[in-house]
Amino acid sequence: MKKLLLTSIFPLASLYASLLDDISFRGDIQNITQYYIKVPEEKHPFNDTLLANLETTYSYDALTLEMQLKAQQDFYDFSAGDKQNKRSFIRLDALYGTYDFENDQIFVGKNIRFWGALEVRNITDGFNPQDMRSDIFTSDKLGVYNVAYAHYTENGEFDAIVKLYEQSREMAAAPYVYYFFPQEYNTLPLHYNNELKTEKSQYRPSIYLKYSASTDTEYALDYAVIFENGYDSQRYYSFDMAADMSSLQTQENAYLVNKISTYDTLVVGATLFKLEALYTDVIDNSEISDYYHIGVGVEHTLTQFIGEADLGVISEYYYYHITDKTKRDDLALFETFQNDLFVGLRYTFNDGNDANIVAGSIIDFDYSEEVYYFEYESRLADSWKVNFDYRYINPSKEYKTAFNLMGDHERVSLTLGYYF
């Protein structure tokens, strides 16, 4: 009996050890402390946020399974009542499987995709919606359910992607500094309803056809072209009176489009040229016009500017235009990159600690707004990172832009993260 038990245990132990060899774990824990030097009186003057990310990958032959979890805890959410920011959550960002063939791949599940080339704003990165409970200056995207087929060529890739569901979004509460709706709208209290309004069912699929490739020439060109038929990444807000006439509620609206977009980079010596552009044909919506959005950029690197350090000089310009002036314009859509110039510097120390400084300013030519920022990031030892940033927003005094609704804004932020 003992011999039989041992002969059964050892194969199971061996199988368990083999499974562990095929599973990898990685993640991070971050603490973000922000102090707002200029902030409206009704907003919290500081904020502390704890973040945790965990990624698990299982690989066996041609099969890969991955899961990504994110948890966020806002300091004020430990409070009671109207002091809460309502920014705390546990979120499943990815849960998917891929199976690889010789020149093809099948994808099924939930994930986050990244499309774009520019530094400040990726206008073509519209596959995943942004989470509105996060810092507006960071990219925090919601995972979406989709299936995809990829075919690889000698120097490129063709993707056919079907997004299966249009994601609704939660919003932080009014005390949080980056909740920009006024608490009173036309003298009535305003409440956000997180149920997304869609022209068709939320399960109406959005279809993407994408081709990306690189050229093997003297000048390195990377390019991608995407066609979409489905729900647009741009959304708009509608306002409805409550049944008792005591308050208003606002909801996000999603509408159907045909969209063509591209993002491209070209390297010529020490200079990087960047382009993002899109044209959107709104299929049938009385509120939203067809529109195009263009971003162009150039970044020149001065290698060994001081010692081993490199200095990058960056400039980008963004332009947004609607074709029907009778419909909602950029102000009504809270579009902040409609006629804007960014100029900045990137200083890379090349000291083995991944230390770098990025500083710049964004000038809005239409509404006389300016944004200034400075960011320093470095790795400490092998597992720790520190990030410090300063941001100042001088909003429009005349127009109801998103920054105007948020008010004069100045902040400093310190992030300490442990990575494993």
Side-chain angles (χ1 to χ4, degrees):
M1 182 68 180
K2 183 184 292 186
K3 183 177 180 180
L4 178 61
L5 182 61
L6 289 175
T7 56
S8 62
I9 288 177
F10 284 133
L12 289 174
S14 177
L15 176 61
Y16 178 70
S18 177
L19 285 173
L20 288 181
D21 289 339
D22 296 328
I23 298 176
S24 64
F25 298 90
R26 59 191 178 276
D28 60 83
I29 301 173
Q30 303 176 49
N31 189 80
I32 306 170
T33 302
Q34 296 175 329
Y35 175 69
Y36 308 111
I37 302 168
K38 288 186 177 181
V39 67
E41 290 184 3
E42 68 272 14
K43 304 291 186 178
H44 293 312
F46 77 94
N47 206 66
D48 195 82
T49 307
L50 187 65
L51 293 177
N53 295 283
L54 176 64
E55 300 181 21
T56 304
T57 303
Y58 169 77
S59 298
Y60 181 76
D61 291 338
L63 176 67
T64 300
L65 305 175
E66 180 153 339
M67 180 180 68
Q68 298 176 15
L69 291 171
K70 179 170 186 175
Q72 177 170 291
Q73 178 62 54
D74 184 287
F75 168 79
Y76 280 103
D77 288 344
F78 290 114
S79 305
D82 57 7
K83 290 186 177 181
Q84 290 190 358
N85 284 330
K86 296 184 179 179
R87 299 180 59 238
S88 301
F89 57 80
I90 297 177
R91 194 176 74 202
L92 178 67
D93 282 341
L95 181 64
Y96 64 84
T98 62
Y99 194 88
D100 292 299
F101 302 91
E102 183 176 357
N103 295 312
D104 307 272
Q105 184 188 80
I106 300 296
F107 171 97
V108 178
K110 182 179 189 180
N111 75 331
I112 295 174
R113 298 177 184 271
F114 296 90
W115 296 339
L118 293 167
E119 172 76 21
V120 177
R121 167 81 181 276
N122 296 125
I123 60 178
T124 58
D125 193 20
F127 187 77
N128 301 86
Q130 293 283 336
D131 194 323
M132 297 188 296
R133 295 169 293 182
S134 298
D135 183 342
I136 61 172
F137 299 111
T138 63
S139 177
D140 184 24
K141 300 191 290 186
L142 300 171
V144 297
Y145 292 99
N146 62 106
V147 296
Y149 163 75
H151 174 71
Y152 304 101
T153 65
E154 184 175 345
N155 63 346
E157 176 182 343
F158 170 77
D159 297 279
I161 308 167
V162 180
K163 185 194 294 187
L164 302 173
Y165 177 75
E166 195 63 22
Q167 184 74 43
S168 300
R169 301 194 286 186
E170 302 283 348
M171 184 180 288
Y176 183 52
V177 68
Y178 297 126
Y179 176 93
F180 58 84
F181 283 119
Q183 291 182 331
E184 301 290 327
Y185 190 86
N186 290 336
T187 72
L188 291 176
L190 180 67
H191 305 290
Y192 175 70
N193 182 342
N194 65 359
E195 183 179 346
L196 179 67
K197 288 184 178 180
T198 55
E199 286 187 341
K200 303 294 184 180
S201 167
Q202 280 187 266
Y203 295 94
R204 193 277 193 192
S206 295
I207 300 169
Y208 300 80
L209 301 177
K210 176 176 178 280
Y211 181 73
S212 57
S214 302
T215 60
D216 186 15
T217 62
E218 179 183 357
Y219 303 118
L221 171 65
D222 294 329
Y223 60 94
V225 179
I226 307 165
F227 170 78
E228 178 201 354
N229 172 266
Y231 285 112
D232 196 10
S233 57
Q234 177 180 263
R235 296 176 179 177
Y236 69 95
Y237 294 94
S238 58
F239 298 87
D240 298 300
M241 184 75 70
D244 60 1
M245 309 289 286
S246 64
S247 65
L248 288 170
Q249 76 168 12
T250 182
Q251 286 179 270
E252 278 198 304
N253 291 254
Y255 53 91
L256 296 170
V257 300
N258 291 310
K259 176 185 284 189
I260 185 77
S261 57
T262 183
Y263 60 92
D264 319 280
T265 61
L266 174 67
V267 179
V268 180
T271 304
L272 175 65
F273 297 94
K274 298 175 280 188
L275 168 69
E276 293 189 35
L278 60 88
Y279 179 80
T280 304
D281 167 38
V282 179
I283 294 174
D284 183 22
N285 188 279
S286 61
E287 298 277 347
I288 304 299
S289 164
D290 297 350
Y291 67 93
Y292 60 85
H293 206 172
I294 300 172
V296 293
V298 59
E299 179 173 350
H300 181 73
T301 301
L302 302 170
T303 58
Q304 296 184 329
F305 180 71
I306 298 177
E308 296 297 319
D310 298 336
L311 178 66
V313 182
I314 313 167
S315 180
E316 296 178 350
Y317 175 72
Y318 299 82
Y319 184 74
Y320 176 92
H321 180 78
I322 62 172
T323 62
D324 186 345
K325 299 296 184 181
T326 66
K327 296 185 178 182
R328 295 190 182 220
D329 61 8
D330 56 275
L331 288 174
L333 295 167
F334 304 112
E335 176 55 60
T336 57
F337 283 82
Q338 85 297 333
N339 186 14
D340 294 63
L341 176 68
F342 165 74
V343 290
L345 300 172
R346 177 187 289 109
Y347 189 84
T348 306
F349 289 86
N350 293 325
D351 58 358
N353 291 325
D354 300 327
N356 67 86
I357 294 173
V358 179
S361 62
I362 304 169
I363 309 299
D364 188 314
F365 294 118
D366 285 341
Y367 307 123
S368 299
E369 292 185 323
E370 302 98 37
V371 178
Y372 302 94
Y373 75 93
F374 171 92
E375 183 174 356
Y376 169 79
E377 185 175 81
S378 179
R379 180 166 49 84
L380 305 177
D382 291 329
S383 302
W384 295 84
K385 285 185 181 180
V386 62
N387 178 288
F388 170 82
D389 82 55
Y390 166 84
R391 297 183 186 266
Y392 171 71
I393 299 175
N394 182 26
S396 174
K397 303 298 188 293
E398 182 179 356
Y399 297 93
K400 292 297 183 182
T401 66
F403 289 149
N404 172 277
L405 294 174
M406 194 173 68
D408 286 346
H409 183 66
E410 187 175 9
R411 81 158 200 215
V412 291
S413 176
L414 179 65
T415 302
L416 182 63
Y418 174 73
Y419 294 77
F420 57 90

